[in-house]
Amino acid sequence: MDYNLSPRNQIFGSYSFDWSKNPNQTFDVPTYGTSANGIEGPSKIQAVNTNWFSTISPAMLNEAHFTYARENRPRSSINTSAVPDTSMGFVPNFRFGQPFFL
């Protein structure tokens, strides 16, 4: 949404919403195997952005930016009996267990 308060002042606003289900979300480290599988969601992400532009002079512009965001992304592990994140060796190393993001 855009609104001209005056020839020197404009306000711009936007609203974003994301709702998604992410069953069997998998971490990007292949050595975790199936112990990294988890459930994320349903996630609900909302954001409101507002910009206010003021023209002070032909060579000077002022901008104020405001953002409010809220994110609800519940995460749980499929295998609750898996050991915590465990790593051994040098690159490439071997990892297993529950990743830190779960």
Side-chain angles (χ1 to χ4, degrees):
M1 179 173 73
D2 302 343
Y3 186 72
N4 291 328
L5 293 172
S6 69
R8 292 180 171 242
N9 292 291
Q10 291 89 29
I11 293 180
F12 305 96
S14 67
Y15 171 74
S16 301
F17 178 76
D18 175 57
W19 181 86
S20 61
K21 289 184 179 180
N22 298 304
N24 203 25
Q25 191 74 11
T26 304
F27 196 56
D28 63 350
V29 178
T31 57
Y32 272 115
T34 59
S35 67
N37 290 350
I39 296 174
E40 179 181 329
S43 58
K44 297 173 185 170
I45 303 167
Q46 301 178 64
V48 177
N49 293 297
T50 305
N51 291 322
W52 184 340
F53 293 97
S54 298
T55 304
I56 298 171
S57 71
M60 193 178 281
L61 181 72
N62 189 31
E63 176 188 0
H65 178 85
F66 305 97
T67 298
Y68 175 77
R70 182 172 177 89
E71 181 176 336
N72 182 13
R73 293 174 62 183
R75 298 173 178 167
S76 61
S77 174
I78 290 177
N79 182 4
T80 58
S81 63
V83 297
D85 180 19
T86 306
S87 173
M88 61 187 93
F90 296 102
V91 177
N93 65 2
F94 179 72
R95 299 183 81 154
F96 63 91
Q98 291 181 356
F100 57 89
F101 73 95
L102 290 175

